[in-house]
Amino acid sequence: MAGQLTTHVLDTVQGKPADGISITLWALSPDGHDRTILKQTTTNQDGRTDVPLLVDEALQVGSYELVFAVGEYFQKSSLALPQPYFLDQVPIRFGVADGNAHYHVPLLVSPWSYSTYRGS
């Protein structure tokens, strides 16, 4: 089985997939102080990316960070939100221990909270 990294964003306040969220994927140095950009993409109407973020040899053992531009997404919604937004950029740092496994990092988000987990 080839390893891969995927994500999915759900808008929990409106009860729907979050489409049009900009996502940046970073590789982190072992000490976590330096970042290297690996990919920039946007979620589709299903709240997913059109292709996995990383596949096969590109998914290495190590630490990564996904940054989701949720403030920009909620700005485009019909919600009346105070400025500045409580959440703007949501970073999720996570580790990959097995480059041959499937790592799914979903984001459940509202303008005031978010959660994640290792999905399948």
Side-chain angles (χ1 to χ4, degrees), residues 9-14 21 68 70-71 73-74 81 85-90 92 107-116:
V9 185
L10 297 172
D11 176 340
T12 58
V13 75
Q14 298 181 88
I21 289 192
F68 300 86
V70 301
Y73 166 79
F74 284 115
L81 299 172
Y85 300 119
F86 180 68
L87 293 176
D88 185 22
Q89 301 285 314
V90 173
I92 299 174
L107 176 68
L108 297 100
V109 67
S110 83
W112 308 279
S113 67
Y114 67 92
S115 65
T116 191

Side-chain angles (χ1 to χ4, degrees), residues 4 8 10 22 31 33 46 49 70 75 83 91 94 100-101 111:
Q4 65 177 344
H8 186 197
L10 297 172
S22 297
D31 65 8
H33 291 108
D46 193 34
T49 58
V70 301
Q75 179 183 20
Q83 302 235 356
F94 60 96
N100 294 312

Side-chain angles (χ1 to χ4, degrees), residues 5 12 16-17 19 26 28 30-31 37 39 42 46-48 69-70 72 77 84 88 90-92 97 107-109:
L5 172 63
T12 58
K16 64 177 189 149
D19 97 0
W26 301 85
L28 302 175
D31 65 8
I37 192 166
K39 188 169 213 168
T42 303
D46 193 34
R48 300 175 186 276
V70 301
E72 183 179 284
S77 75
D88 185 22
V90 173
I92 299 174
L107 176 68
L108 297 100
V109 67

Side-chain angles (χ1 to χ4, degrees), residues 47-97:
R48 300 175 186 276
T49 58
D50 290 333
V51 297
L53 298 169
L54 297 174
V55 294
D56 300 329
E57 299 83 29
L59 182 62
Q60 299 288 314
V61 170
S63 297
Y64 296 87
E65 181 178 56
L66 282 167
V67 180
F68 300 86
V70 301
E72 183 179 284
Y73 166 79
F74 284 115
Q75 179 183 20
K76 295 175 186 174
S77 75
S78 60
L79 301 172
L81 299 172
Q83 302 235 356
Y85 300 119
F86 180 68
L87 293 176
D88 185 22
Q89 301 285 314
V90 173
I92 299 174
R93 287 190 171 196
F94 60 96
V96 169

